[in-house]
Structures are given as C-alpha cells and as structure tokens.
C-alpha cells in the first residue's frame, strides 16, 4: 500500500444501471433469435433428411449460446457505458459525482466519520438489488460523513471474500453485523407478496444497540452507491491511506 495517491483515481459506481439492464435484455432477445435462425439453417443444410426435432434442438442450443455471448457483452459494456455516478479519489479531497445532483466533496483537512456494517442475504424475503446475488453472499456497506455531507457505498461478496474485512486488525473501518430478519416481515401473508424492503423499521430496533447502523442501512436503500468488490476494496484502501478517524 503506497503512502499517497499521485493522481485522482476514478471509481465508477452503479455499473448495472437501468439503461444498461434494459439494453442487455434487448440484446439477449436479439442474440437468441439470431442463434435460433442460424442453428436451424445449419441443421437444414446438413446432409440427410431434416430431423423432426430440428426446431426444438435449435431452441435448446440457442439459450446457452445467447447467455454466454450476452454475458461477455455485458461485462464489456460495463466498462464503456458508465452510469455517471463516480468517486474521484484525490489527495486533497474525495469527490462524488451524481447525475442531476450536486457533487459531494469531502476534504481531508477536516475529520471524517466512518460507519461500517454488513449482513447476510439468507433467511428472509429480500428486496432491492440483493435479489440478484446468491443468498449465501453478504452485503458490506460503508458510510462516510463530514458535517452534513454523507456518502454511502456498498458491495456484495461471498463469505470467503468478505472475511478479510472483518478480521483485519489494521483496518481503518470495523464492520458491524446487523440482522435483517429483525425488520423484514415474516408473516404468512408476506410470503405471497412481491419482494420488497420494509416500509418502516420498528422503533425498538432503531432505539436498540444497532439503531445507528439500521438508520444508515435505511439511507442506503435510497442513496447508496454500489461498487464492484474490487473497487470497494480500492475505496477502503484509499480511506486507510488518508488515515480517516473511525467512529
């Protein structure tokens, strides 16, 4: 780990933004159709009599081919089509750019407070982006606050990857575990409803020992910025380099 950052580094957040997701769905349908017609044509031109199951075979083979092609295309697209949300990691300040919102700026000349928390995705009916990752994974979140300016970033990771953040003795940020089962509805009727986040958090949870973490988690639902795990780790290293005061 170097002692300073020589030039601003930019971390792109919200890589799976809505426009990209819509485009990926359209691309999947188009690629699937192209694969189907191509495979059916190849089968028709093959020597011998046309198999009776040619259409079924084309449908079956087109699905994995289309998924593989679009998966690679999506990875490439994330690198060339940013959402507009980014974190600029400079020596003097941390700057956060957000589309249609005023940029946020945190100066290293003034103390900055940190709050870290994590939770499991298993054992309750998940809402929000947590639905698209395996339920064996964890969500890790970090809040950076300076006066009235606040930034919340988060990521998802497999337990084996996440453990390094919980056990590092020299880490600038201590991650506190919260339990979503405390606030997500577990009634019989909720099992037949679409996945969603709670509308309110029980008062006993907010006034309990984990209250400040749940307030931060509630803010994450509205204003949190998702980073890929690699970028999240780079962000934590950046905080470590600038020796921010942890709460």
């Amino acid at each position: 780990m170097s002692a300073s950052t020589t030039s601003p580094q930019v971390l792109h957040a919200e890589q799976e933004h809505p426009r990209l997701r819509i485009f990926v769905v359209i691309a999947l349908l188009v690629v699937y159709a192209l694969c189907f017609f191509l495979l059916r044509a190849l089968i028709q031109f093959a020597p011998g009599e046309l198999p009776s199951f040619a259409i079924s075979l084309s449908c079956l083979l087109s699905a994995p081919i289309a998924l593989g092609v679009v998966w690679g295309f999506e990875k490439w697209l994330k690198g060339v089509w940013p959402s507009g949300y980014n974190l600029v990691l400079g020596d003097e300040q941390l700057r956060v750019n957000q589309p249609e919102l005023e940029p946020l700026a945190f100066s290293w000349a003034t103390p900055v407070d940190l709050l870290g928390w994590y939770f499991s995705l298993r054992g309750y009916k998940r809402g929000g982006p947590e639905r698209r990752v395996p339920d064996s994974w964890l969500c890790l979140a970090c809040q950076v606050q300076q006066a009235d300016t606040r930034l919340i970033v988060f990521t998802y990771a497999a337990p084996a990857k996440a453990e390094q953040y919980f056990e590092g003795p020299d880490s600038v940020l201590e991650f506190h575990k919260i339990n979503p089962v405390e606030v997500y509805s577990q009634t019989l009727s909720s099992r037949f409803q679409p996945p969603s986040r709670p509308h309110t958090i029980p008062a006993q949870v907010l006034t309990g020992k984990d209250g400040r973490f749940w307030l931060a988690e509630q803010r994450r639902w509205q204003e949190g910025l998702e980073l890929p795990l690699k970028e999240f780790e780079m962000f934590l290293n950046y905080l470590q380099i600038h020796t921010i005061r942890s709460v």
Side-chain angles (χ1 to χ4, degrees):
M1 185 180 298
S2 61
S4 63
T5 303
T6 57
S7 61
Q9 185 176 29
V10 179
L11 303 182
H12 293 283
E14 298 296 302
Q15 292 190 3
E16 295 191 9
H17 51 90
R19 292 169 296 167
L20 183 142
R21 288 199 296 267
I22 293 172
F23 192 82
V24 167
V25 171
I26 295 173
L28 182 61
L29 296 174
V30 171
V31 173
Y32 178 84
L34 291 174
C35 289
F36 170 78
F37 289 115
L38 179 60
L39 288 173
R40 192 178 67 170
L42 290 174
I43 294 173
Q44 287 176 338
F45 284 110
E49 186 178 351
L50 181 67
S52 59
F53 54 86
I55 294 180
S56 299
L57 183 62
S58 299
C59 289
L60 185 63
L61 294 178
S62 295
I65 295 174
L67 286 172
V69 170
V70 173
W71 177 79
F73 177 67
E74 182 182 7
K75 290 190 66 176
W76 172 81
L77 203 58
K78 288 178 182 179
V80 300
W81 191 5
S83 65
Y85 292 90
N86 60 66
L87 283 61
V88 183
L89 314 183
D91 282 338
E92 302 299 327
Q93 68 171 9
L94 163 65
R95 183 179 176 89
V96 184
N97 296 313
Q98 307 175 87
E100 301 178 4
L101 294 174
E102 290 294 323
L104 305 177
F106 301 84
S107 171
W108 299 135
T110 305
V112 176
D113 291 331
L114 292 181
L115 194 69
W117 67 99
Y118 76 98
F119 56 90
S120 171
L121 303 180
R122 176 175 289 166
Y124 58 97
K125 197 170 184 179
R126 295 173 286 167
E130 290 86 72
R131 290 175 291 174
R132 57 176 166 77
V133 295
D135 64 1
S136 60
W137 283 27
L138 304 175
C139 177
L140 297 90
C142 169
Q143 175 178 280
V144 182
Q145 185 155 0
Q146 187 174 66
D148 295 330
T149 305
R150 180 177 60 240
L151 165 68
I152 298 176
V153 296
F154 65 96
T155 193
Y156 301 105
K161 290 283 188 181
E163 284 177 359
Q164 60 181 309
Y165 303 109
F166 309 147
E167 300 175 357
D170 299 325
S171 175
V172 69
L173 182 63
E174 178 181 352
F175 286 90
H176 180 84
K177 183 177 182 180
I178 60 175
N179 184 11
V181 175
E182 296 178 0
V183 300
Y184 275 77
S185 176
Q186 301 294 315
T187 62
L188 181 61
S189 61
S190 67
R191 299 181 182 179
F192 300 97
Q193 298 173 356
S196 63
R197 284 166 170 160
H199 296 295
T200 59
I201 295 180
Q204 64 269 25
V205 174
L206 293 178
T207 57
K209 60 181 179 64
D210 295 339
R212 61 174 180 158
F213 298 100
W214 273 112
L215 282 174
E217 170 63 12
Q218 192 173 38
R219 296 188 191 106
R220 183 186 73 87
W221 300 344
Q222 283 81 38
E223 59 191 71
L225 299 180
E226 182 181 353
L227 288 172
L229 180 58
K230 181 180 178 181
E231 280 75 3
F232 187 80
E233 182 176 358
M234 293 167 63
F235 181 68
L236 293 184
N237 288 338
Y238 174 72
L239 297 183
Q240 181 73 48
I241 289 170
H242 290 82
T243 60
I244 300 176
R245 179 172 59 87
S246 178
V247 295

